[in-house]
Amino acid sequence: MSLKKRNLLRNRAAEKTIPCGMICGQGTGIVSGMKYGLCGMNFNGCECIAVYNALLFLNRPKPLSLVVLCMERYKMLFGIFGGNPFGIAKALGRLGENAVRTDNFMQNGGYILSFWTKKPFLSSLHTVFIIKRDIGITVFNRYNNSSAPSDYASVEDMLGKRRLIIAYRVG
């Protein structure tokens, strides 16, 4: 049986107990034990979670197991290095939604952002889903061990000195 098929079967069984709503804290709860590539979602599932959260925001929810299966095409080195952030728009397209690359966060709405956690190319990257409103942004899955969303004044405030890799406006 292929790795994709094993992961799909395992993830389908686990997702039945995931609470409804946006996912935060990929290292907590049921999601942490689900699989993406060779690893657990707690290690490398941030791109999958960002796409899942974006679909919820757009009122077009899909099962997390289906999102992971779709994202399997865009994983890097069997998923050991997570997903390819440059494949997120293609994955959303395969799931029936649009994503447009952007570096402008002035408009209210949903965004998926990938950024370096420390030094570019010498650290890991992280991908999050954010909702921009007039009063600031809410970030989902900002921290691996926090199951609550995080609020910031702006994208720049959330990134701090971290360098943005790519961002998409969804919907």
Side-chain angles (χ1 to χ4, degrees), residues 115-119 123-126 162-163:
F115 55 91
W116 295 106
T117 57
K118 294 182 183 161
K119 290 189 179 224
S123 67
S124 60
L125 64 91
H126 189 52
R162 293 171 199 87
R163 190 160 164 209

Side-chain angles (χ1 to χ4, degrees), residues 71-104:
M71 293 293 293
E72 287 274 354
R73 176 176 275 185
Y74 307 103
K75 66 185 179 287
M76 296 190 300
L77 192 61
F78 304 104
I80 293 171
F81 293 114
N84 179 352
F86 297 97
I88 290 172
K90 291 177 187 171
L92 276 166
R94 289 180 65 210
L95 292 164
E97 292 303 324
N98 293 325
V100 178
R101 192 171 176 170
T102 187
D103 58 0
N104 180 339

Side-chain angles (χ1 to χ4, degrees), residues 122-136:
L122 298 176
S123 67
S124 60
L125 64 91
H126 189 52
T127 302
V128 296
F129 176 72
I130 69 168
I131 297 174
K132 161 81 170 70
R133 296 184 180 91
D134 290 334
I135 57 170

